[in-house]
């Protein structure tokens, strides 16, 4: 008797192929595609930590510094920290973001006094995605040099 040959795949074969494709796509979904909210949160936390670290080092060494802010563009922001006075271990440093747009009524220059532990002027950075208005986080530096992050202005 002649053997029957099937021209189509069985259900089990199709399920196996679908499971393999699903297993291979999970890392892409988890690690590659990140929402705007995740990116905004990471960038705001990065800015908050960078500012807090600089203020703590300057206050510990009683050193002053200035932060120069480049003209905010739609897809990038750069802050440059330049220490002056005192014998600081604090070095010239740059914080840069190309994933978010930091905006607001930001002055071109901020000054921190390590001796008096004050920031002039106090400022609020609005960290947002370059396109659209999804989530906006605010990184605030008070006049007393405290850095905080919030979702309310």
């Amino acid at each position: 008797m002649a053997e029957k040959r099937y021209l189509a795949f069985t259900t089990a074969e199709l399920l196996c192929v679908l499971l393999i494709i699903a297993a291979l796509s999970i890392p892409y979904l988890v690690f590659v595609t990140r929402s705007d909210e995740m990116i905004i949160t990471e960038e705001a936390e990065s800015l908050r930590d960078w500012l807090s670290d600089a203020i703590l080092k300057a206050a510990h060494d009683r050193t002053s510094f200035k932060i120069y802010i480049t003209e905010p563009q739609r897809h990038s922001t750069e802050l440059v920290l330049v220490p002056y006075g005192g014998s600081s271990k604090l070095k010239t440093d740059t914080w840069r973001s190309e994933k978010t747009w930091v905006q607001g009524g930001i002055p071109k220059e901020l000054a921190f006094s390590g001796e008096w532990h004050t920031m002039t002027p106090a400022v609020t950075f609005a960290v947002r995605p370059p396109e659209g208005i999804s989530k906006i986080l605010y990184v605030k530096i008070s006049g007393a040099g405290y850095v905080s992050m919030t979702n309310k202005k």
Side-chain angles (χ1 to χ4, degrees), residues 32-115:
V32 177
T33 59
R34 297 185 312 171
S35 69
D36 280 347
E37 289 188 12
M38 290 174 59
I39 293 170
I40 296 302
T41 302
E42 289 172 6
E43 292 296 310
E45 287 173 350
S46 169
L47 176 59
R48 179 198 61 200
D49 294 346
W50 183 79
L51 291 167
S52 295
D53 188 47
I55 288 172
L56 286 173
K57 286 179 183 175
H60 180 266
D61 295 343
R62 293 188 174 270
T63 302
S64 299
F65 65 80
K66 288 190 177 187
I67 295 178
Y68 297 96
I69 302 163
T70 62
E71 193 65 39
Q73 299 171 358
R74 275 309 267 172
H75 297 286
S76 68
T77 302
E78 184 176 276
L79 281 66
V80 179
L81 181 142
V82 180
Y84 66 92
S87 59
S88 176
K89 297 172 188 147
L90 193 63
K91 305 288 183 220
T92 299
D93 195 11
T94 302
W95 181 85
R96 181 178 297 117
S97 174
E98 294 178 1
K99 300 174 195 168
T100 58
W101 181 32
V102 176
Q103 70 172 37
I106 303 172
K108 300 281 184 211
E109 177 183 303
L110 303 170
F112 178 79
S113 168
E115 187 174 339

Side-chain angles (χ1 to χ4, degrees), residues 103-135:
Q103 70 172 37
I106 303 172
K108 300 281 184 211
E109 177 183 303
L110 303 170
F112 178 79
S113 168
E115 187 174 339
W116 295 100
H117 204 275
T118 56
M119 176 67 76
T120 307
V123 68
T124 299
F125 297 101
V127 182
R128 62 183 301 154
E131 302 296 328
I133 301 181
S134 59
K135 181 178 185 178

